[in-house]
Amino acid sequence: MNFGSHVDGVVAVGRELVNVATPGERQGRPYDVPGPAQLLPGLADAVRLSGRDARVPEAGAVDAFIDLARRVRPVYEFVEAREMSQAAQATNELLDRYAARPRLESHGGQPWHLHFHGDRRADASGWGAAVAMGLATVLGSEYADRLGVCAAPACDRVFVDVSRNGLRRFCSEACQSRVKAAAHRARQRA
């Protein structure tokens, strides 16, 4: 299941930004956002998920990426809670903030497709408009419930469910295995 190659890419970027640039819990342990120098490689990995030649984030834009991630996280949390009106409202606020404007572009031998650019003065990361439009595309589709927050204890990382059956509950195989192993141990004790 996919939303379209460009949308898939920008939604993946947004998901990964939330996972590397917001505090919480990860795979059973507390997760603090690393300092700017340590965060840059994670941000670079996130933007590479777009599937295009993305500029490596600069140290001066780290705060903008953290701000974007902080603003995107509630969309996943609202969808997880099945509060779709709030998810749509949060996404509309992203669209307004990042002034998303569609443009048809063709690059790298690809056919024409939509890109979403925003006002650089509104977004030093350069990704806010694209991530906002990606989320809006997902929420405005039959797959709106495919955004989620990990169901494993002590993990609040987010995911996009691209499986055929739409039953994903965990951010990673590690969390899924952790939950299965704990259930197995509990059955053995009983």
Side-chain angles (χ1 to χ4, degrees):
M1 199 272 337
N2 66 42
F3 306 107
S5 62
H6 182 64
V7 173
D8 287 347
V10 295
V11 170
V13 169
R15 178 207 69 223
E16 194 59 22
L17 289 176
V18 170
N19 287 338
V20 301
T22 61
E25 297 175 304
R26 175 191 247 163
Q27 297 179 353
R29 296 185 178 94
Y31 179 78
D32 293 320
V33 177
Q38 297 80 17
L39 184 57
L40 273 173
L43 296 176
D45 289 345
V47 300
R48 284 189 200 105
L49 293 173
S50 69
R52 59 184 173 150
D53 292 334
R55 255 187 342 192
V56 174
E58 298 173 7
V62 169
D63 288 342
F65 278 99
I66 292 170
D67 184 60
L68 173 58
R70 184 182 58 78
R71 292 173 187 277
V72 168
R73 176 177 270 290
V75 175
Y76 284 84
E77 293 169 345
F78 287 136
V79 171
E80 182 68 29
R82 302 295 182 247
E83 295 174 356
M84 301 311 275
S85 293
Q86 290 91 335
Q89 181 178 342
T91 302
N92 283 335
E93 290 170 6
L94 290 169
L95 291 167
D96 290 343
R97 175 174 178 74
Y98 295 111
R101 292 184 324 265
R103 302 290 301 169
L104 281 170
E105 296 189 11
S106 176
H107 51 83
Q110 295 180 357
W112 289 96
H113 56 280
L114 280 175
H115 275 241
F116 299 94
H117 300 284
D119 183 345
R120 281 297 265 183
R121 293 168 296 180
D123 178 24
S125 77
W127 282 92
V131 169
M133 279 306 303
L135 289 171
T137 301
V138 171
L139 290 175
S141 77
E142 63 189 283
Y143 302 111
D145 61 348
R146 297 295 186 107
L147 305 177
V149 178
C150 188
C155 187
D156 63 0
R157 302 297 88 184
V158 301
F159 63 88
V160 179
D161 184 355
V162 294
S163 68
R164 282 183 186 230
N165 62 11
L167 298 176
R168 183 172 175 176
R169 295 181 29 231
F170 303 101
C171 69
S172 65
E173 288 182 19
C175 277
Q176 183 177 4
S177 295
R178 196 165 49 87
V179 168
K180 284 183 176 182
H184 175 74
R185 287 190 301 273
R187 284 191 304 274
Q188 295 295 2
R189 283 190 298 266

